[in-house]
Amino acid sequence: QVQLVESGGGLVQAGDSLRLSCAASGRTFSRYDMGWFRQAPGKERERVATISKTGDNIYYADSVKGRFTISRDNAKNTVYLQMNNLKPEDTAVYYCAGRSSTLLGYNSWGQGTQVTVSS
């Protein structure tokens, strides 16, 4: 497994932008599919965006399409989530996660970073 550390969360106003970063330890990052998930108080965890090992397969939840962009830099062992036009409903703890195989679930998780969007 890789060790994951998120950063970049904060308190912003509606319409603002944030970029989350997730730094991974180890030399196997390029073998991992990566994803961003979020969980708001009282709600289930939601898959926000995922990116395959080489970056050629990307998924976005309908709620963030056109506003969020996931990317990765395998040379820097980092995955990013650029979040534009933030809305109050984007308020949640955002988690970075990785999986080494499509046959497995996401089994490496970061500690999470809080994103709060005020109206």
Side-chain angles (χ1 to χ4, degrees), residues 41-66:
K43 294 187 177 181
E44 293 187 354
R45 186 172 61 197
E46 175 189 17
R47 180 175 54 156
V48 175
T50 60
I51 186 168
S52 60
K53 301 174 181 59
T54 57
D56 58 350
N57 191 355
I58 291 177
Y59 162 88
Y60 294 105
D62 287 342
S63 56
V64 306
K65 279 181 182 176

Side-chain angles (χ1 to χ4, degrees), residues 77-97:
N77 283 9
T78 303
V79 62
Y80 305 97
L81 186 68
Q82 177 67 43
M83 305 185 295
N84 297 330
N85 190 23
L86 283 160
K87 304 177 180 181
E89 52 263 43
D90 295 318
T91 295
V93 178
Y94 284 71
Y95 297 92
C96 173

Side-chain angles (χ1 to χ4, degrees), residues 15-64:
D16 286 350
S17 298
L18 278 176
R19 187 175 82 156
L20 305 183
S21 299
C22 173
S25 64
R27 291 179 284 182
T28 60
F29 176 74
S30 61
R31 301 177 187 175
Y32 279 72
D33 296 329
M34 298 299 297
W36 287 97
F37 297 75
R38 68 186 180 187
Q39 188 165 21
K43 294 187 177 181
E44 293 187 354
R45 186 172 61 197
E46 175 189 17
R47 180 175 54 156
V48 175
T50 60
I51 186 168
S52 60
K53 301 174 181 59
T54 57
D56 58 350
N57 191 355
I58 291 177
Y59 162 88
Y60 294 105
D62 287 342
S63 56
V64 306

